């Protein structure tokens, strides 16, 4: 009752949770005794750094990853500045130019990226029982208790 449907329509999550990014796990909502929802982040190509969801990873002069404070940004060759999506860096004039040359925007500075945190091991994967309504935690097995009721055996398969 009061379940939350996931994208694709094949899975749902119990009330007080929402669908995980993989579409197959349920994440407890904040304030429901579950973990705080971490804001989404953009992973950088080194696999160890990340930037906020609305930023872009750019290599900095030190060789470390930095974050340009806009989505799908252009990283400048000086490894210090960046420009909005679909514009090019004009370092000589300190501007960002659109391909048509009709708009120019000041260069933005990248800020340091942070190290990625490993994902918290709290994904509540569930096994859907044959009745399509009941579910058991991952690693358990649905067992029919009566014609209309399922229980969860604490063993897999």
């Amino acid at each position: 009752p009061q379940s939350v449907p996931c994208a694709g329509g094949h899975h749902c999550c119990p009330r007080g949770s929402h669908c995980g990014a993989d579409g197959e796990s349920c994440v407890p909502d904040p304030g429901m005794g579950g973990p705080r929802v971490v804001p989404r982040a953009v992973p950088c190509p080194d696999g160890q750094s990340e930037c906020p969801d609305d930023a872009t990873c750019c290599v900095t002069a030190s060789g470390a990853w930095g974050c340009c404070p806009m989505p799908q940004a252009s990283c400048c060759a000086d490894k210090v500045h960046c420009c909005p999506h679909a514009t090019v860096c004009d370092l000589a004039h300190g501007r960002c130019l659109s391909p048509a040359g009709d708009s120019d925007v000041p260069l933005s500075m990248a800020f340091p990226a942070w190290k990625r945190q490993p994902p918290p091991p709290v994904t509540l994967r569930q096994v859907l029982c044959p009745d399509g309504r009941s579910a058991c935690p991952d690693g358990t097995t649905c067992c029919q208790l009566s014609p209309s009721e399922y229980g969860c055996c604490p063993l897999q398969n």
Side-chain angles (χ1 to χ4, degrees), residues 3 8 10 24 37 43 45 50 57-58 64 70 77 111 114 117 133-134 154:
S3 64
H10 297 295
E24 295 184 0
V37 175
E50 62 187 12
C57 297
C58 289
M70 55 194 86
F111 57 91
W114 63 85
Q117 297 298 316
R133 293 193 323 266
S134 308

Side-chain angles (χ1 to χ4, degrees), residues 16-151:
S17 68
H18 61 274
C19 306
D22 61 4
E24 295 184 0
S25 58
C26 298
V27 180
D29 288 339
M32 294 298 219
R36 195 173 47 83
V37 175
V38 180
R40 290 205 314 267
V42 176
C44 296
D46 67 350
Q48 294 175 4
S49 307
E50 62 187 12
C51 291
D53 198 29
D54 54 355
T56 304
C57 297
C58 289
V59 174
T60 62
S62 69
W65 285 93
C67 305
C68 182
M70 55 194 86
Q72 299 179 316
S74 302
C75 304
C76 298
D78 67 356
K79 298 187 176 180
V80 174
H81 298 97
C82 56
C83 286
H85 181 61
T87 64
V88 292
C89 304
D90 176 5
L91 295 171
H93 301 100
R95 314 296 286 162
C96 303
L97 300 174
S98 68
D102 56 0
S103 70
D104 68 343
V105 180
L107 293 170
S108 294
M109 301 265 298
F111 57 91
W114 63 85
K115 290 292 178 205
R116 296 187 70 176
Q117 297 298 316
V122 290
T123 47
L124 303 174
R125 292 189 182 274
Q126 294 191 320
V127 179
L128 193 62
C129 298
D131 66 354
R133 293 193 323 266
S134 308
C136 290
D138 193 21
T140 66
T141 305
C142 296
C143 293
Q144 195 160 6
L145 301 176
S146 70
S148 62
E149 194 178 16
Y150 278 85

